[in-house]
Amino acid sequence: MRDPVIIIGAGMAAYSLAREFRKLDQATPLMLVAGGAAHAYAKPALSNALALGKEPHALVQAGPEQMADTLDMTVLANTWVTAIDHEAREIDTAQGRFTYSQLVLALGADPVRLPLAGDGAADVMSVNDLHDYTLLRERLAAAGAAARVAIIGAGLIGCEFADDLAGAGYRVTLVDPGSLPLSALAAPVLGEALVQAWSARPVTLRLGTTVDSVARDGDAYELTLADGTLVQADLVVSAVGLRPSVSLAMQAGLEVARGIRIDDFGKTSADDIYALGDCAEYSVGDGSAVMPFVAPMLVAARAIAATLAGTPTPIVLKQEAVIVKTPSCKLALLPPPRGVAGSWLAQAEGERIIARFHDKDGVLRGFGLTQHTPALRNQLLAELGRAA
């Protein structure tokens, strides 16, 4: 019998790949190895579950046993992979050594941890998976209905959590070095629109500064900001970004830059080892990029599944707008490529704001809008690459 295709990871990328592979190949043994509980759930739902009225258990779509039965595969939950031997085509795990015919790394990303001072720094939470989210809900319940939550970072995830928590009645303080929320992704006018929407919600913004220390204050915390401001909170959440999980790949000698480098077919620098999702660094044009979003992951899952099943298929990525889950100010963003010089031009159409980013040659390279619709997003996507 052929050695199994082994997938390391149990997030959306891992299960999406398993589903796509089983559509094409029902005979090859398939194994999924995960360091966690291996529940199937949609990670993006973590940042708006309060607004949807969903408890953590309600986010679980299926347990590992059900996924194993549905996809006719072996699922090893709570099993850490400690090493990859790509010459022997074997992985070492807490449950023994396994041989693979092809291996897929769907390792996800790890939260960036800030070097904070203070005796409360170790209590700062990051919400990167269902276990983290369950702990967040437990701490919110313990703190009470009007708990004060300090969120470090006003990027995509920080803003989504701020909107969700404020909508549920929690008092939120959002701290970020930028001059506006979403400053690295959105036109200033869109960040201003979000600030305006939050004026009617219990959200306090501390912008243009950072957190120096987090000190315990009884059952609560006191944050000292770089500008000298003190912030009181019952709970502190860090949302300053994610870093692709690459340590296992590095130990195996795979080529790693910011993420695990893959070619147009999702293959790493080692034969029969592939990567996708938040851990991967995709080939994009003449360069490469980490793309921690659902749309490119799904495209990669379908392409890699076809390749594993015997039909080499390149990953053809299309530009897609990122839908920001902030119901108080509905936003869709397609940031311009990093390092591209240009300027934003915004226009208002009734209550809707449309911002376009043109490079120095007048070519549309990015956009953002409020009150978006699929038709309008597609229209703007069609305009990309055209001169104004």
Side-chain angles (χ1 to χ4, degrees):
M1 179 182 290
R2 181 186 176 189
D3 289 323
V5 170
I6 296 180
I7 304 169
I8 303 178
M12 288 183 68
Y15 278 128
S16 295
L17 176 67
R19 292 186 186 97
E20 295 296 331
F21 181 72
R22 270 293 176 252
K23 292 176 184 177
L24 304 171
D25 185 328
Q26 293 80 46
T28 299
L30 184 61
M31 176 184 288
L32 186 146
V33 185
H39 294 302
Y41 67 97
K43 182 178 174 180
L46 298 179
S47 61
N48 68 336
L50 279 170
L52 297 176
K54 290 190 174 182
E55 295 292 331
H57 65 84
L59 299 176
V60 176
Q61 298 164 343
E65 298 85 0
Q66 183 179 347
M67 293 303 296
D69 290 342
T70 300
L71 297 175
D72 186 23
M73 66 178 178
T74 300
V75 177
L76 300 181
N78 300 308
T79 303
W80 290 102
V81 176
T82 56
I84 298 170
D85 184 339
H86 58 80
E87 293 184 353
R89 296 175 186 265
E90 292 178 333
I91 62 171
D92 285 327
T93 80
Q95 294 197 39
R97 194 158 216 197
F98 298 94
T99 303
Y100 63 83
S101 59
Q102 298 174 105
L103 181 67
V104 183
L105 307 180
L107 304 171
D110 304 312
V112 174
R113 297 292 298 181
L114 295 173
L116 300 173
D119 60 2
D123 298 339
V124 175
M125 295 187 61
S126 295
V127 183
N128 190 43
D129 56 29
L130 188 61
H131 176 270
D132 294 338
Y133 183 70
T134 301
L135 180 59
L136 172 68
R137 293 293 291 266
E138 291 173 353
R139 291 189 178 180
L140 287 171
R148 302 161 299 175
V149 183
I151 300 177
I152 307 172
L156 182 68
I157 301 303
C159 287
E160 289 183 348
F161 270 113
D163 203 76
D164 199 40
L165 289 164
Y170 297 103
R171 293 171 288 169
V172 176
T173 299
L174 194 57
V175 184
D176 193 89
S179 59
L180 288 167
L182 299 171
S183 59
L185 299 173
V189 67
L190 298 180
E192 292 167 355
L194 186 55
V195 171
Q196 179 61 35
W198 280 342
S199 65
R201 291 198 164 195
V203 177
T204 300
L205 297 172
R206 300 294 184 190
L207 302 174
T209 189
T210 56
V211 177
D212 281 347
S213 67
V214 179
R216 292 193 179 99
D217 183 16
D219 293 332
Y221 301 92
E222 182 176 78
L223 288 70
T224 301
L225 308 189
D227 63 4
T229 302
L230 300 180
V231 174
Q232 310 300 321
D234 299 298
L235 190 67
V236 185
V237 177
S238 176
V240 296
L242 299 173
R243 184 177 288 116
S245 181
V246 299
S247 59
L248 186 62
M250 291 179 68
Q251 291 172 15
L254 305 184
E255 184 179 346
V256 171
R258 188 178 174 199
I260 303 168
R261 296 292 299 270
I262 59 175
D263 64 12
D264 290 340
F265 294 84
K267 189 173 79 69
T268 69
S269 57
D271 288 341
D272 293 316
I273 301 182
Y274 299 79
L276 81 160
D278 292 358
C279 70
E281 186 165 337
Y282 296 84
S283 296
V284 181
D286 296 328
S288 61
V290 173
M291 306 183 75
F293 304 112
V294 173
M297 177 274 291
L298 293 175
V299 172
R302 287 189 288 269
I304 293 173
T307 298
L308 296 175
T311 304
T313 303
I315 301 170
V316 181
L317 297 174
K318 297 180 180 179
Q319 290 184 295
E320 297 284 351
V322 177
I323 308 302
V324 186
K325 298 189 295 298
T326 48
S328 61
C329 181
K330 297 179 180 179
L331 297 167
L333 308 174
L334 194 147
R338 285 190 177 192
V340 173
S343 59
W344 288 99
L345 179 64
Q347 66 184 89
E349 295 183 355
E351 296 184 357
R352 175 182 291 136
I353 300 171
I354 302 175
R356 292 175 171 85
F357 183 92
H358 295 94
D359 64 19
K360 58 184 178 59
D361 297 319
V363 176
L364 183 66
R365 303 297 299 276
F367 63 82
L369 66 157
T370 63
Q371 305 297 325
H372 55 89
T373 64
L376 186 52
R377 295 198 303 270
N378 289 334
Q379 175 188 323
L380 290 167
L381 287 167
E383 294 177 13
L384 289 172
R386 298 179 187 174

